[in-house]
Amino acid sequence: MHVLFVCTGNVCRSPTAERLAVAYAEELGITDLTAESAGTRAAVGRPMEPTAAQVLEGLGGDPSDFTARMLTADLAADADLVLTMTERQREKVLALAPEQLKKTFTLKEAARLAEASDAKTVADLASARPQHKSDGTPEDISDPIGKDEETFLNVGSEIAELLGVIARSIRV
């Protein structure tokens, strides 16, 4: 399974998710998972934001050799699963790759659907959407850029928790 994580600048949330997904896959013995990330307004060529990189390391991920890049239609189309940090980013992915509707979720939405429906595949997640609708609260993970270290830690921990739910249940 190839997972694409999307945020805005591609220096905090999506690289954290990308690198944690790889670490979790290794820990769980999942050998067929690949992950990458991109930003809707990426700081192209930049490494991870230093505080985000520190938090990632503390959570068991490796920030080394990361380079931010821009979301493209090809990146979105090539993914088996696209996980965005906000609903607006999900909309941007679908504007570029509308055929990915059944494979594109916010990270919070995917974790909620996986738990509510006992989904095992990406197709199960898509099938669960009509039966397990959101309560209307935005399913967004807030952007920590420009905030204090505690905010970065809270955001990183939230991403880690949500990824844990997905990693334990979803396969291609």
Side-chain angles (χ1 to χ4, degrees):
M1 177 188 300
H2 181 66
V3 183
L4 173 66
F5 295 96
V6 178
C7 72
T8 305
N10 192 218
V11 292
C12 296
R13 294 169 291 175
S14 60
T16 296
E18 169 194 337
R19 297 301 174 93
L20 282 178
V22 170
Y24 287 175
E26 288 175 10
E27 189 177 301
L28 294 168
I30 300 168
T31 58
D32 61 347
L33 183 128
T34 58
E36 61 185 341
S37 62
T40 59
R41 293 191 323 239
V44 175
R46 305 268 316 259
M48 277 188 78
E49 193 283 337
T51 308
Q54 262 187 312
V55 168
L56 173 61
E57 283 183 309
L59 292 167
D62 180 6
S64 61
D65 300 323
F66 178 82
T67 304
R69 64 183 174 167
M70 190 69 71
L71 173 68
T72 65
D74 286 344
L75 281 174
D78 289 344
D80 297 310
L81 175 62
V82 180
L83 296 171
T84 68
M85 300 300 129
T86 68
E87 292 174 357
R88 184 173 177 133
Q89 292 155 0
R90 182 183 61 208
E91 291 168 10
K92 289 185 179 200
V93 168
L94 294 175
L96 289 172
E99 71 281 2
Q100 290 292 71
L101 176 63
K102 292 183 177 183
K103 296 179 180 182
T104 304
F105 306 84
T106 70
L107 182 57
K108 278 188 178 181
E109 176 189 26
R112 177 180 56 76
L113 291 171
E115 285 186 317
S117 69
D118 197 31
K120 300 293 182 214
T121 66
V122 175
D124 291 345
L125 286 178
S127 296
R129 266 187 177 142
Q131 291 86 14
H132 301 283
K133 294 188 181 197
S134 160
D135 64 5
T137 305
E139 294 185 290
D140 293 350
I141 295 171
S142 61
D143 192 347
I145 202 79
K147 305 230 169 54
D148 62 15
E149 189 174 334
E150 184 178 348
T151 301
F152 276 89
L153 186 55
N154 290 338
V155 167
S157 297
E158 181 178 23
I159 290 169
E161 183 180 326
L162 295 167
L163 277 176
V165 169
I166 294 166
R168 287 187 295 275
S169 57
I170 303 301
R171 302 290 179 265
V172 178

